[in-house]
Amino acid sequence: QVQLAESGGGSVQAGGSLRLACAASLYTYTGYCMAWFRQAPGKEREKIVNFYTADGSTAYADSVKGRFSISQDKPKNTLYLQMNSLKPEDTGMYYCAAVEGFNAYCKHPAHAYRYWGQGTQVAVSS
C-alpha cells in the first residue's frame, strides 16, 4: 500500500527557508510521478514541482523556479523540497502526491495523482 507522509512545515519570515520532507512507501517495480502541491485558503491546489522516480527528471512551476529545489534520498525513501527566499504568497498547505506511470504523466494536475499525504502547513510572514 502506497503511503505518503509530509513533515517540515512551520512559520518563517519572508526571505527565510524551510525544508519539507515526504516519506514515501512505494512499490519498487514501477516508476512514480511524485509532486508537491500547495493550496492557499480560498484557492485551487497548485502543483509547484513534479519528479519522476525512475530517472529523476523534474519540472518546476514558474512561481517557485530558482527558489525551490527538489531532491531524493533513495535509501530513506524520502523526497525533500528545499524552499528558499520564501515569500508571503508561498503560504499554504503543502501536499506530497504520487501516481504510478510514465514520465509523461507527471505533468498532469492534481486530479491525476492517486496518492496523497496529509499535508504540512507553511506560513510566511512579511
Side-chain angles (χ1 to χ4, degrees):
Q1 183 177 357
V2 174
Q3 293 182 326
L4 305 172
E6 305 94 336
S7 61
S11 297
V12 65
Q13 289 190 329
S17 298
L18 284 172
R19 189 176 77 157
L20 306 183
C22 174
S25 60
L26 304 176
Y27 296 110
T28 57
Y29 58 80
T30 185
Y32 286 83
C33 294
M34 297 188 71
W36 284 97
F37 290 81
R38 68 183 178 194
Q39 188 166 21
K43 294 189 177 181
E44 292 187 357
R45 195 166 293 189
E46 172 195 16
K47 185 169 59 172
I48 55 176
V49 60
N50 57 252
F51 174 89
Y52 190 55
T53 60
D55 63 12
S57 57
T58 306
Y60 294 90
D62 289 343
S63 58
V64 305
K65 202 172 291 183
R67 299 188 298 122
F68 291 11
S69 62
I70 199 168
S71 61
Q72 183 186 33
D73 186 332
K74 283 189 174 182
K76 293 184 177 180
N77 294 320
T78 300
L79 194 68
Y80 296 101
L81 181 67
Q82 179 67 43
M83 305 188 297
N84 298 326
S85 302
L86 282 162
K87 304 175 181 180
E89 51 263 43
D90 294 319
T91 294
M93 186 68 80
Y94 282 68
Y95 298 92
C96 178
V99 63
E100 308 92 335
F102 295 105
N103 191 351
Y105 200 72
C106 297
K107 64 183 178 182
H108 291 297
H111 66 77
Y113 282 75
R114 182 177 179 184
Y115 310 104
W116 291 84
Q118 79 287 353
T120 186
Q121 182 69 41
V122 171
V124 184
S125 58
S126 57

